[in-house]
Structure formats: C-alpha cells, structure tokens
C-alpha cells in the first residue's frame, strides 16, 4: 500500500511538472525582463523545460531506469527493435488510413492536427533544437511518465495499456478548438501509437524499448519533414 501511494505521488509530481514547467519558465524569463519574441524563443524555452523534465524523470524513477539498462545484454535487442519498429509504423499507417476514412465518412477535411501544426512551426524556426529535443528528451519524458509512471500505479496489464494509450493519444489533441467528433477522430493515430508502445513496454518489461522506438519515430518524422 505504501509503495502504491509513493507511485501515485511520483506520477502526480511528474504530471504537474509536465503540464506547467514551460509556462513557469516563460513567466520567470519575462519577469527578468526578457522578451519572448518568436517561435524560436518558444522552442528554446520548451526544450529547456524538457531537459529539466528528463532530469526529474531520472530522479523519480532512477531504480527502474538503472535496472532496465540490462537491455544492453539482450542479444536479440537489434532484431527486436527492427521488428517492433515495423509493427509500430505499420499500426501508425493503418490508424492514419482509418482516421482518413472516418473523416471522409463524416464530412471532415483530412488535415494535420493542431499538435503537428505547432511542431511544424517550431521545427521551421529552430530545426536542430527540435530534432534533438523530439528525438532524445521527448521520448525520455513521455515514456517515463505515460509508460513507466502509469505502470507503477495501474498494475493490471490490459487496463494499463488502455489508460496509457488513451492518455498519451488525447494529450496530443486536447485541449483543442476542434469539434469533439473531429478531435476524437484525429486522436486515433496518437492513441494507437500509445497502445502499441504500452504493449511493447509490458511485453519486454523494459522502458528503453518504447523510449528508443519513440525516439526513432520522431527522428524519422523530422527528417521526412526536412526533406518535404
């Protein structure tokens, strides 16, 4: 019981920090007389917040993160990463097709999400910072919270996968100004990715698998954006 309460407190601290740190940093930067003038400034603040968050994640879950470094002893490591990445991207493509079909059926225009639009603007303003942040610190923070942190609170495997996937997916869409139906349809690819990452984490019982897959996905997405 005591361990469960500690896990809940840790997750609460991680979530509160996750949702507020960028705003807190921006507030203090403005109080010091600096002006946040453009998207590049916003990227720098957000990236700094993510670095701090990554440190906090390591502080909160250091035992698990150290234990899971055993991944380096897995002789099947590379093969598993390739297999899981193919599954991940396959499910990502399928869910995108499902989203597009549902949009057409309901009369909504198929478009990029508000989250993706923001990422595109930030990437155009500060490409190198965004590449490093989304490929390294973002996976550490998001997998640390939405996979490792939630798994410590929700012990049932299937319930964990559902809650982790939904939380992760909705986070990338909500809050939003979109109509609820369109927002829910738009969340399908993100929720699917959350389900897959949660499933892989439970299957391997090692947080570095979803972290690496998340990082690879973001890295390749960024490279494709640069090349488009």
């Amino acid at each position: 019981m005591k361990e469960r309460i500690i896990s809940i407190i840790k997750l609460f601290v991680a979530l509160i920090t996750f949702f507020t740190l960028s705003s807190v940093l921006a507030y203090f930067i403005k109080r010091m007389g600096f002006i946040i003038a453009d998207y590049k400034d916003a990227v720098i603040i957000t990236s700094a917040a993510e670095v701090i968050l990554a440190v906090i994640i390591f502080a909160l879950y250091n035992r698990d993160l150290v234990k899971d470094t055993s991944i380096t002893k897995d002789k099947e490591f590379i093969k598993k990463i390739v297999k899981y990445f193919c599954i991940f991207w396959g499910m990502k493509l399928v869910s995108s097709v499902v989203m597009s079909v549902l949009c057409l059926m309901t009369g909504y225009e198929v478009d990029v999400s508000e989250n993706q639009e923001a990422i595109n603007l930030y990437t155009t303003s500060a490409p190198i910072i965004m590449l490093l942040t989304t490929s390294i610190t973002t996976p550490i923070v998001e997998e640390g919270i939405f996979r490792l942190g939630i798994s410590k609170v929700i012990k049932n495997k299937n319930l964990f996968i559902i809650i982790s996937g939904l939380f992760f997916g909705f986070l990338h869409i909500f809050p939003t100004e979109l109509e609820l139906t369109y927002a829910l349809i738009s969340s399908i690819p993100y929720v699917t990715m959350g389900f897959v990452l949660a499933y892989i984490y439970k299957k391997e019982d090692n947080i570095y698998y979803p972290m690496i897959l998340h990082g690879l996905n973001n890295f390749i997405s960024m490279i494709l954006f640069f090349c488009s």
Side-chain angles (χ1 to χ4, degrees):
M1 184 65 179
K2 181 180 177 181
E3 183 180 342
R4 184 75 174 276
I5 292 173
I6 292 173
S7 296
I8 292 172
I9 293 172
K10 284 183 176 181
L11 180 58
F12 179 76
V13 169
L15 285 170
I16 290 296
T17 310
F18 178 84
F19 286 116
T20 62
L21 187 56
S22 291
S23 298
V24 171
L25 283 180
Y27 171 78
F28 281 109
I29 287 171
K30 288 178 180 177
R31 290 285 294 178
M32 289 187 292
F34 294 100
I35 298 174
I36 302 173
D38 53 25
Y39 285 116
K40 185 174 182 179
D41 292 338
V43 170
I44 293 171
I45 293 170
T46 303
S47 298
E50 289 224 339
V51 171
I52 296 170
L53 274 165
V55 173
I56 291 172
I57 294 301
F58 274 105
L60 291 173
Y61 302 108
N62 62 303
R63 284 187 180 181
D64 295 278
L65 291 166
V66 170
K67 175 182 70 70
D68 285 355
T69 55
S70 59
I71 191 175
T72 57
K73 299 176 183 178
D74 188 348
K75 295 179 180 179
E76 300 289 311
F77 166 66
I78 300 297
K79 186 183 294 185
K80 286 180 179 178
I81 288 294
V82 172
K83 180 183 74 173
Y84 288 139
F85 191 71
C86 290
I87 293 172
F88 181 84
W89 265 69
M91 292 301 296
K92 182 179 177 180
L93 290 173
V94 169
S95 62
S96 295
V97 171
V98 170
M99 181 195 72
S100 299
V101 170
L102 288 175
C103 281
L104 291 173
M105 290 174 62
T106 53
Y108 291 109
E109 183 180 352
V110 180
D111 203 354
V112 296
S113 66
E114 292 172 328
N115 176 73
Q116 190 59 52
E117 284 184 357
I119 290 174
N120 292 347
L121 285 171
Y122 288 161
T123 302
T124 302
S125 302
I128 301 302
I129 296 175
M130 281 296 291
L131 179 64
L132 293 174
T133 300
T134 57
S135 302
I136 301 173
T137 53
T138 297
I140 291 172
V141 170
E142 293 187 357
E143 297 307 311
I145 296 174
F146 301 111
R147 247 60 70 186
L148 181 54
I150 292 179
S151 72
K152 294 297 179 182
V153 175
I154 301 175
K155 298 298 183 180
N156 180 276
K157 176 183 175 180
N158 293 329
L159 183 59
F160 159 72
I161 291 173
I162 292 170
I163 297 299
S164 175
L166 289 174
F167 205 154
F168 177 81
F170 289 158
L171 171 74
H172 287 77
I173 298 295
F174 298 96
T176 179
E177 295 180 358
L178 300 173
E179 291 183 26
L180 180 59
T181 302
Y182 185 40
L184 290 173
I185 293 173
S186 299
S187 72
I188 290 174
Y190 294 108
V191 170
T192 301
M193 287 188 279
F195 286 156
V196 174
L197 290 170
Y199 170 78
I200 291 170
Y201 172 51
K202 277 299 180 180
K203 182 175 176 59
E204 293 297 332
D205 191 28
N206 191 303
I207 193 59
Y208 290 111
Y209 277 102
M211 276 186 184
I212 291 169
L213 292 168
H214 194 155
L216 281 172
N217 173 70
N218 289 358
F219 178 80
I220 291 174
S221 297
M222 282 289 170
I223 296 301
L224 291 175
F225 176 78
F226 294 148
C227 295
S228 62

